[in-house]
Amino acid sequence: WCKPLKSVFVTFPGDVIKNMTNKELAEQYLKRFGYLNVMQKTGLQPAVSASKALKRMQRQMGLEETGRLDETTIDAMKQPRCGVVDVRN
Amino acid sequence: YQTFDGDLKWNNKDVTYRILNYSPDMESSLIDDAFARAFKVWSEVTPLTFTRLYDGTADIMISFGKANHGDPYPFDGKDGLLAHAYPPGEGMQGDAHFDDDEFWTLGTGPAVKTRYGNSDGAMCHFPYTFDGKTYTTCTTEGRTDDLPWCSTTADYDNDKKFGFCPSELLYTIGGNSNGAECVFPFVFLGETYNGCTTEGRSDGYRWCATTNNFDQDKQFGFCPSRDTAVIGGNSEGEPCHFPFTFLENTYTSCTSEGRSDGKLWCGTTASYDKDQKWGFCADRGYSLFLVAAHEFGHALGLDHSNIQDALMYPMYKYVETFSLHEDDVEGIQYLYGPNPDTKPPKPTTTPSPPGPTPETEPTEEPTRKPTIPTTPHPVDPSADACQMEMFDAITEIQGKLHFFKDGQYWKMTGKDHKGLKGPYPMADMWPALPAVIDTTFEDHLTKKIYFFSGTRFWVYTGQNVLGPRTIEKLGLPSTLSRVEGAVQRGKGKVLLFSGENYWRLDVKAQIIDKGYPRYTDLVFGGVPTDAHDVFLYKGHTYFCRGRFYWRMNSRRQVDRVGYVKYDVMKCP
């Protein structure tokens, strides 16, 4: 029987991408690509809930619109992509 | 497809570009070629031409950079963000930036073009055999001068075809030494260096002196990456050192241990634990051609598409045989029109069996007689449009604005309310329609008039009518109770609005385009999401709620909010 490896994660010097939780990753992604903090007439404010922002992102990416941070959505957020925002404010 | 707000585009058909610098990952001629092919993707379907400039300011300035590279949008190391580009315009607008922490290839692993040897600059052939042994990278085996080489056919032993691989011992890139090779050791700020270094630079690029004393001669160049080099980390350009130790375990190949993202890495010295020197192992890399074609789409005025197979979809996907998706073609031709020199491609799909095409597939026969009797609705000839609080639908037909309300309609023939003619009974002109319609539009190409009421629609060509048909036939969801607005967009496309969503109808194909619905407020920011009517008039999109309208210009800015009665109809 194989003994499961006990993985230890380390911080590599010079690594630009830090270990972050899925929630942190999602928040960063939704902000970076314009799904959160939509510009309103009254100024910059979180005009949409996280769930609605997720739904919008899921629609843009052709995923099932669950409004939840499911595995498919996290996987999509980890894919290499263009840096141009999806939602322009 | 999406265009940028205001349909930003180049006004000149001859667009210029300039390559400001090169990635060390690929030979410069391969990079030149990848960019040229990426431009060709777009020039084949539009009247645009692309001319390369070697100095001065070009419309599209192309550069490679890492992390903070001089604009407000830093890159993020290997993977993640690959590149970005700006929509057409002056200054930085139109420019394209590529993240040089990526491994740039042709999409399938190191793309190694040789120099010298006897293969006329052919690409390395991996794997190849030399002296009975198989090689998957360039090697220095068989040489005493340490120059890496490869076979350009599968079997060096038989074919004897070879060339030299990128190496700082062979040439440098950029700098001021005209491509001369590095000289080792060299002196920089009093220190002696035996290899390429990133010292003295903040951008992470490896360089070397091309004489033995930089302090004195100031001659330098950037080092090309060897195909065996690691990417990123803190040892860019160094080869993996096998075996190496990590957390006291010994590794003889790249590993993902220690990382939560599963990426393969290696130590570049015998002990990571002691030296902490590491980098990512070379992988398939990203196709510079595919990424550049996408970015140039932005530089020409296309925003992201949500069609997964479209080039303008935001995520990277490698495809071996690339062809532009029809969504991309429609998008770029919406901005610039088709290439007059290109014949339409032959259909690649299996021809449909003979039979009705979507355009000629009515569920009901064309008839001059109404299929559904119009609900009788008395028309009061004295009814004044200016007394109406709101209308069921407003649209422009044959250049005249029409106002529909409860089985009657008015048309505006002049500039103000004095030019309002009517009311006319709808049953006289369009007898098949019910009294109350939700929206209507005239197809600019065919002059057919579409009417929507509840879940049904009718199409009038003169006095001939098709319908009613259910809106589901157009690909709209069965849950949709009505279509509230319609806006013609480009040739043969119409946006249909309902609730907080809109869809794009391909009028010719009679089907909703892929990638819809979309949220109205994402594209049409600042208008009410509960508009009961949306229509196009003199290039402006009007969103109506009650007595009020929100007018949006072609740059998708709300430039006026007012009363339908006073501002549009000019009622006293």
Side-chain angles (χ1 to χ4, degrees), chain B residues 491-530:
Chain B
K491 288 180 181 171
K493 302 281 183 183
V494 173
L495 305 182
L496 300 177
F497 294 79
S498 184
E500 59 177 7
N501 294 309
Y502 73 97
W503 292 258
R504 194 175 68 203
L505 174 69
D506 185 321
V507 181
K508 190 176 177 193
Q510 292 276 291
I511 198 74
I512 296 295
D513 282 336
K514 284 179 189 167
Y516 290 84
R518 294 181 181 178
Y519 286 110
T520 303
D521 64 335
L522 284 186
V523 178
F524 303 92
V527 300
T529 51
D530 55 350

Side-chain angles (χ1 to χ4, degrees), chain B residues 385-417:
Chain B
C386 286
Q387 297 302 316
M388 299 293 145
E389 272 297 294
M390 55 189 273
F391 294 93
D392 297 336
I394 304 174
T395 197
E396 197 174 11
I397 298 173
Q398 293 172 358
K400 295 183 181 70
L401 209 50
H402 285 57
F403 300 85
F404 294 84
K405 178 76 174 174
D406 293 342
Q408 54 194 351
Y409 70 99
W410 293 261
K411 49 186 174 183
M412 206 159 92
T413 55
K415 287 181 179 175
D416 59 19
H417 70 287

Side-chain angles (χ1 to χ4, degrees), chain B residues 99-236:
Chain B
D99 183 0
D100 220 353
D101 274 324
E102 310 306 341
F103 181 37
W104 292 111
T105 66
L106 300 178
T108 55
V112 186
K113 192 174 190 301
T114 61
R115 290 191 179 196
Y116 310 112
N118 59 2
S119 299
D120 288 333
M123 305 288 286
C124 288
H125 189 293
F126 298 126
Y128 61 92
T129 54
F130 164 56
D131 216 8
K133 197 175 158 191
T134 301
Y135 291 83
T136 55
T137 62
C138 298
T139 180
T140 56
E141 288 293 315
R143 298 196 62 86
T144 55
D145 55 10
D146 254 3
L147 281 176
W149 68 278
C150 69
S151 171
T152 55
T153 67
D155 187 350
Y156 176 79
D157 298 331
N158 266 336
D159 305 327
K160 305 288 183 204
K161 299 293 281 182
F162 79 104
F164 290 97
C165 301
S167 156
E168 67 281 6
L169 302 177
L170 204 60
Y171 64 92
T172 56
I173 307 163
N176 59 1
S177 301
N178 206 22
E181 70 274 20
C182 296
V183 171
F184 297 123
F186 67 89
V187 176
F188 169 56
L189 295 178
E191 296 281 325
T192 300
Y193 291 83
N194 285 304
C196 299
T197 180
T198 58
E199 284 298 314
R201 298 194 63 84
S202 59
D203 57 12
Y205 281 101
R206 297 164 67 243
W207 68 280
C208 68
T210 52
T211 67
N212 61 9
N213 193 326
F214 177 83
D215 297 340
Q216 187 183 298
D217 304 321
K218 308 288 185 202
Q219 293 289 304
F220 79 105
F222 294 100
C223 301
S225 292
R226 294 189 179 204
D227 66 317
T228 51
V230 296
I231 299 140
N234 58 3
S235 305
E236 174 95 39

Side-chain angles (χ1 to χ4, degrees), chain B residues 269-501:
Chain B
T269 66
S271 171
Y272 174 85
D273 298 335
K274 182 170 155 240
D275 304 316
Q276 304 239 311
K277 299 293 281 181
W278 70 285
F280 293 108
C281 296
D283 48 23
R284 290 165 64 90
Y286 295 112
S287 164
L288 184 62
F289 159 70
L290 289 176
V291 176
H294 174 102
E295 297 308 329
F296 296 162
H298 287 313
L300 296 177
L302 289 180
D303 206 343
H304 281 150
S305 164
N306 60 359
I307 307 282
Q308 293 201 23
D309 290 332
L311 176 65
M312 294 314 293
Y313 188 68
M315 280 186 207
Y316 173 86
K317 184 174 76 175
Y318 176 73
V319 285
E320 193 176 348
T321 313
F322 172 79
S323 65
L324 205 51
H325 191 277
E326 64 182 59
D327 183 65
D328 303 307
V329 176
E330 282 178 17
I332 204 72
Q333 292 187 346
Y334 169 73
L335 291 173
Y336 299 101
N339 184 341
D341 302 329
T342 308
K343 289 177 185 169
K346 289 178 183 174
T348 51
T349 50
T350 312
S352 305
T357 62
E359 206 176 13
T360 58
E361 190 211 10
T363 48
E364 290 81 19
E365 287 298 310
T367 173
R368 286 175 182 274
K369 293 176 186 173
T371 50
I372 302 284
T374 305
T375 310
H377 217 278
V379 171
D380 177 1
S382 64
D384 184 356
C386 286
Q387 297 302 316
M388 299 293 145
E389 272 297 294
M390 55 189 273
F391 294 93
D392 297 336
I394 304 174
T395 197
E396 197 174 11
I397 298 173
Q398 293 172 358
K400 295 183 181 70
L401 209 50
H402 285 57
F403 300 85
F404 294 84
K405 178 76 174 174
D406 293 342
Q408 54 194 351
Y409 70 99
W410 293 261
K411 49 186 174 183
M412 206 159 92
T413 55
K415 287 181 179 175
D416 59 19
H417 70 287
K418 290 174 188 164
L420 271 170
K421 305 289 181 196
Y424 304 105
M426 284 168 59
D428 285 359
M429 191 71 182
W430 303 288
L433 301 182
V436 177
I437 60 167
D438 297 319
T439 196
T440 173
F441 71 88
E442 182 186 45
D443 176 25
H444 288 160
L445 279 181
T446 60
K447 302 300 176 195
K448 290 178 180 175
I449 306 171
Y450 288 67
F451 295 92
F452 291 80
S453 179
T455 56
R456 298 176 299 168
F457 75 100
W458 295 256
V459 184
Y460 265 93
T461 312
Q463 287 190 310
N464 291 334
V465 63
L466 294 180
R469 300 176 70 194
T470 64
I471 56 175
E472 267 186 83
K473 296 261 183 191
L474 298 174
L476 290 166
S478 57
T479 50
L480 203 67
S481 59
R482 66 171 64 86
V483 179
E484 289 160 332
V487 169
Q488 299 90 332
R489 187 172 189 261
K491 288 180 181 171
K493 302 281 183 183
V494 173
L495 305 182
L496 300 177
F497 294 79
S498 184
E500 59 177 7
N501 294 309

Side-chain angles (χ1 to χ4, degrees), chain A residues 36-53:
Chain A
L36 275 173
N37 294 347
V38 177
M39 182 69 89
Q40 298 291 291
K41 280 185 180 167
T42 48
L44 190 65
Q45 57 181 256
V48 289
S49 65
S51 169
K52 194 165 183 184

